[in-house]
Structures are given as structure tokens and as C-alpha cells.
Amino acid sequence: MLSFVFLVIGFALMIWGADKFVAGASALARKLGVSPLLIGLTIVAFGTSMPELAVSVTAALRGANEIAVGNVVGSNIFNLLMVAGLSAAVCPLVMDKTLLRRDWPLSILAAVLLLGAIAPDLTIARWEGVVLLIIFAFILTHQIRTALQNREQLAAAAAEAEAEEAEAPMSAAMIWVNILLGLACIVIGGQLAVNGATGIARMFGLSETLIGLTIVAMGTSLPELVTSIVAARKGQNDIAMGNVIGSNLFNIFLILGVSSVITPIPVQATSIVDCLFLIAISVVFYLPARKGKLGRVPGIAMVAMYAVYTVYLIMR
């Protein structure tokens, strides 16, 4: 009974927190005069990637990060197929030109670089982690510099949008209250939901391996899922897709970079297959998105493909 209570409270907290988080992030973009895409790629992506970062760094410090790459690649596959797919199925996503021209191809490049690092010796060495972190720093700097160059134009558009709103603009203090409180509720709610779902699965006699491959693996991506769906329903497409692509960049460049610098990461051979799958789906679904819109049909196809991938994981 307690597991069911945890599950319900967890999802309620995540949905309420995501609503506040997206509202705060959107208001912050207007206040700073920058694109909501930048906020999605940075603050929102980093916030929703906190569970993966905490798990991977803790494992690295304990010298037990053998499954770090599998978790990150699995999380990226979940982000692209389930988070973006469900968001598009709920509300077709209009694609930002910068995201299509720069950030989505960068996420494909990240997966290719990861494959190149792990394929020869099934290890991410410290020097490879340093390279990942340097690339991440360069990407983040470029994203911020580009956003600041367009700041005046975006600030004028934001001021016009605020003038059309019925309610008063959000104060700076309330923006950060919404962001921090929303993020806290998302993270705590995600943990409660995972604990509740795990308890229910055990009650029905599911094995620990199956629980680990499905519920726990998906659990660290619940913040991305709920946040992007809420953003899509609010019409904040840049935040929804920026969160997906930004989280995938954070996961590979920052999380694996930091973890492998702490201690080299041994990799399971199956991660090569997962990496190839991540590259394939990133390219395949980039093609319909390039037209400027990710519609319901590709979204449903993405969700269906994740279901097939989950069956493959269970059989594996």
C-alpha cells in the first residue's frame, strides 16, 4: 500500500514541480532577454540531468562505475525516443532552427565520439574524459555567446510578449523560487515514483534484473519526461526539445567526462550495440524534424521504437 502511495505522491510532485519549473525557466528567458532554447539547453537540461550526475559521480567515487556508460546511453535513448516522442505525440513540436542546425547534430557527434572512445578497448580513459569536458566547455561557451549576440532582438520580443500577457511579469525572486522549488519537487517526486514502482514490481514477483533494466533505468529520466511534456503542453517547444538535446549533451560530455576523470570507466560490450542504436535513431528522427516540425506520427513511431528496444533489453 505504501508503494502505491509513493507512486501517486511522486507523480503528483513531479507534475506540479515541472509546471513551476517550466514557468520559472520561461520567465527567466524573458527576464534575461535570451532564447528559451538556451534556457532549455542549459538550466533545464542540467537540472533534469541531476539524478544521472549524482548516481554516476557517486559510483565513480566508490570505484563502481562499470554500468555508468550503459546508464547514460540508455538515458539518452529514453530521452530521444520517449521524452521527445511522447512530447510530440501530446503536442506537435515546432523545431528551432538553431537546434536543428547546431545542437541536434552535436548530440549525434557526442554519440559518435563516445563510440570511438569505448570501441577499441572497452574503457573510457582519464584523458578521454578530459577531452569530453573540454568539448563540453567549448559547446556551452558557444551556446551562451550566440544567445547573447541575439539578446537585444529577443529582449524586444519578450517585452512585447509580456505586454500582451494579462498577468504581471514574474519578479526575479519568484523566478528563482519557481525554478528551485520546481526542480526539488521533480527530483524528490522522481525518487518517490521509482521507489513506489520498484515496490509494486517486487510485490508482483518481478526479478531484480528486470526491475533494474526497466523501472530504475527509466526512473532517472522521469524528470526529463515530465518537464518536456509539461513544456510541450504549455507551447514551450524550445524548452521541451532543448531539455532533451541538452540533457543528452550533458550526459555524455559532462557526466561521463567527470566520472572518467575521477576513475577510468570499464565498459560492457553491449554498450557498443546501444551506442550504435543511439546514433541510428538520432539520425533517423533528425530527418523528419529537419522539416521544422516533429509531428504526432513520428512521435508515436519513436514511442513504439522504444517499446521494441525495451523488449530487446529484457531478452538480452
Side-chain angles (χ1 to χ4, degrees):
M1 191 56 162
L2 196 58
S3 294
F4 281 103
V5 172
F6 280 164
L7 188 64
V8 171
I9 293 175
F11 273 105
L13 273 176
M14 279 195 296
I15 292 168
W16 185 84
D19 185 71
K20 295 297 180 185
F21 189 45
V22 171
S26 177
L28 179 63
R30 292 197 299 269
K31 181 74 72 176
L32 296 177
V34 298
S35 166
L37 176 64
L38 177 67
I39 301 299
L41 286 166
T42 54
I43 293 174
V44 176
F46 180 71
T48 56
S49 291
M50 285 299 289
E52 289 96 333
L53 181 62
V55 168
S56 294
V57 171
T58 300
L61 290 171
R62 292 176 179 173
N65 59 350
E66 294 86 356
I67 60 171
V69 173
N71 282 345
V72 162
V73 175
S75 178
N76 282 16
I77 291 170
F78 184 88
N79 286 345
L80 188 59
L81 293 181
M82 280 295 286
V83 178
L86 271 180
S87 298
V90 169
C91 180
L93 300 173
V94 177
M95 297 286 105
D96 184 273
K97 290 180 181 177
T98 302
L99 181 87
L100 292 174
R101 186 178 65 251
R102 181 192 68 192
D103 301 303
W104 197 318
L106 277 175
S107 72
I108 298 172
L109 175 63
V112 171
L113 289 175
L114 178 60
L115 179 63
I118 67 177
D121 55 1
L122 294 180
T123 304
I124 301 180
R126 278 196 173 93
W127 71 268
E128 290 170 324
V130 171
V131 171
L132 291 176
L133 290 175
I134 291 171
I135 295 173
F136 176 74
F138 175 79
I139 290 171
L140 191 61
T141 301
H142 179 69
Q143 288 173 340
I144 294 172
R145 185 183 294 127
T146 302
L148 293 178
Q149 286 173 351
N150 301 325
R151 190 171 181 175
E152 290 184 10
Q153 180 182 352
L154 289 164
E160 185 179 333
E162 281 190 349
E164 293 175 359
E165 287 181 357
E167 52 190 59
M170 199 179 293
S171 68
M174 283 307 299
I175 287 174
W176 287 107
V177 166
N178 274 267
I179 288 175
L180 296 176
L181 180 61
L183 181 59
C185 288
I186 291 169
V187 173
I188 294 169
Q191 190 61 53
L192 285 174
V194 170
N195 290 344
T198 302
I200 293 168
R202 288 194 182 117
M203 186 175 68
F204 283 102
L206 298 184
S207 70
E208 293 293 323
T209 303
L210 183 57
I211 292 169
L213 283 171
T214 54
I215 295 169
V216 176
M218 296 175 191
T220 55
S221 291
L222 278 176
E224 285 94 336
L225 178 62
V226 176
T227 301
S228 285
I229 289 177
V230 169
R233 287 182 60 85
K234 284 173 165 280
Q236 297 288 346
N237 292 340
D238 290 346
I239 290 179
M241 276 309 296
N243 177 34
V244 170
I245 301 299
S247 291
N248 283 8
L249 292 172
F250 268 89
N251 286 348
I252 291 177
F253 288 123
L254 180 64
I255 294 175
L256 288 183
V258 170
S259 299
S260 57
V261 166
I262 293 171
T263 177
I265 303 176
V267 178
Q268 297 172 346
T270 50
S271 292
I272 294 177
V273 176
D274 295 331
C275 228
L276 288 169
F277 182 67
L278 175 60
I279 294 168
I281 59 173
S282 297
V283 172
V284 166
F285 290 107
Y286 178 60
L287 299 177
R290 282 188 66 189
K291 297 178 182 178
K293 188 176 183 181
L294 194 63
R296 284 194 171 92
V297 173
I300 293 169
M302 292 162 89
V303 173
M305 188 167 285
Y306 188 77
V308 172
Y309 173 71
T310 302
V311 171
Y312 160 71
L313 279 182
I314 294 169
M315 292 175 65
R316 186 171 82 185

